[in-house]
Amino acid sequence: MEISCNNCKSRFNIPDEKLPEGKVASLRCPKCKGKIIVDLTTDSSVSDEREPVPNQPQGFDFDEGADDNEYNPDERPFDFLEEEGKTALICEKDPAVVKAVNTVLDIMEYSVTVADSMRDALRKMKYHAYDMILLNETFDAPDPESNGILIYIERLQMDVRRNIFVGLLTRRFPTMDNMAALLKSVNITINIDDIDKIDRILSRGISEFELFYAIYKDSAKKLGVA
């Protein structure tokens, strides 16, 4: 299927098997980073106005490949996600932890994506704004202090960052350690030993997150800056 971006007029050829049949999906234009809405219920697609591009961490390579417009299946820049649902990205290597988290998020009606590596996670975040990111602080990193995904999240523009609930999976900090969460620029810490309580931890964390920003978002909406 050929898809075009109304913002920069770039055109892309994407294999039909990559498209969610009969649904509405979204993706980021690789050229201008504008949001493209693909309505497969009517076989049409439109692009929103160009959105701000998050600041990229220095010291990490975010090159997505060649400059041509042809879709490269090896790079997989297009991860179509249903427009109407909540989305979550899991960055964790332990299959048992992934399974436990995935089970809970499925009940919470999140569409879940599991990253294979740091590069894979960064690519996915570049083309989609997730509602939730759960990240092990040692995920594909030599030590917790040099985690490229955390650095990327820390440098996101605030109008993007405040809409993402970020949970840090860790063995160093207690669950819901507010000081550690502040220092690591995340919304909640989740100790791996408490993974069996992940449903209650996430429910409480999300409630506090939404309550914290509720007044701000309401005020911004009234001022027309939301």
Side-chain angles (χ1 to χ4, degrees):
M1 179 179 181
E2 187 175 83
I3 293 176
S4 62
C5 174
N6 286 350
N7 185 52
C8 68
K9 309 305 179 185
S10 297
R11 305 180 76 85
F12 311 95
N13 291 314
I14 303 178
D16 290 342
E17 60 269 19
K18 291 286 184 178
L19 306 177
E21 184 176 354
K23 297 179 181 179
V24 177
S26 67
L27 68 147
R28 297 283 182 183
C29 173
K31 291 294 181 180
C32 70
K33 309 303 183 294
K35 187 177 182 181
I36 301 175
I37 303 299
V38 182
D39 186 354
L40 295 166
T41 62
T42 58
D43 293 327
S44 63
S45 63
V46 296
S47 172
D48 289 349
E49 294 182 358
R50 181 170 180 172
E51 298 181 358
V53 182
N55 294 331
Q56 296 177 348
Q58 298 177 359
F60 294 92
D61 181 13
F62 294 96
D63 182 16
E64 292 300 322
D67 291 331
D68 57 46
N69 292 337
E70 191 69 21
Y71 174 77
N72 183 350
D74 294 329
E75 287 295 322
R76 296 183 300 166
F78 298 108
D79 285 323
F80 285 91
L81 295 166
E82 294 182 36
E83 185 69 8
E84 65 272 15
K86 297 179 293 183
T87 58
L89 178 67
I90 300 176
C91 303
E92 168 64 58
K93 294 290 188 179
D94 188 335
V97 175
V98 172
K99 182 179 179 181
V101 173
N102 209 344
T103 298
V104 171
L105 292 182
D106 184 57
I107 294 173
M108 297 174 72
E109 299 184 339
Y110 278 83
S111 176
V112 179
T113 299
V114 180
D116 298 325
S117 63
M118 181 187 72
R119 181 176 176 82
D120 182 44
L122 292 173
R123 184 183 299 115
K124 292 179 187 301
M125 285 190 288
K126 181 176 180 180
Y127 291 102
H128 181 78
Y130 290 90
D131 298 293
M132 179 188 298
I133 298 174
L134 296 179
L135 165 69
N136 190 306
E137 62 179 349
T138 61
F139 180 77
D140 209 13
D143 66 79
E145 304 305 325
S146 61
N147 189 305
I149 300 172
L150 271 180
I151 294 173
Y152 181 88
I153 292 172
E154 288 173 3
R155 298 183 182 183
L156 286 174
Q157 294 179 358
M158 280 309 301
D159 59 338
V160 175
R161 174 63 182 88
R162 69 171 62 99
N163 289 306
I164 307 173
F165 178 81
V166 181
L168 186 69
L169 301 172
T170 176
R171 292 191 182 278
R172 293 193 297 165
F173 306 118
T175 294
M176 305 194 83
D177 183 329
N178 293 331
M179 183 58 70
L182 178 64
L183 291 174
K184 302 304 293 184
S185 299
V186 298
N187 300 102
I188 191 174
T189 57
I190 305 170
N191 192 283
I192 297 296
D193 291 337
D194 295 327
I195 204 65
D196 59 326
K197 307 181 189 71
I198 189 67
D199 53 345
R200 285 171 284 173
I201 294 169
L202 287 180
S203 294
R204 179 177 169 183
I206 292 171
S207 294
E208 293 181 354
F209 170 73
E210 292 176 346
L211 181 62
F212 181 80
Y213 281 111
I215 298 176
Y216 173 85
K217 290 183 178 180
D218 184 56
S219 299
K221 186 176 182 179
K222 290 179 180 178
L223 293 172
V225 295

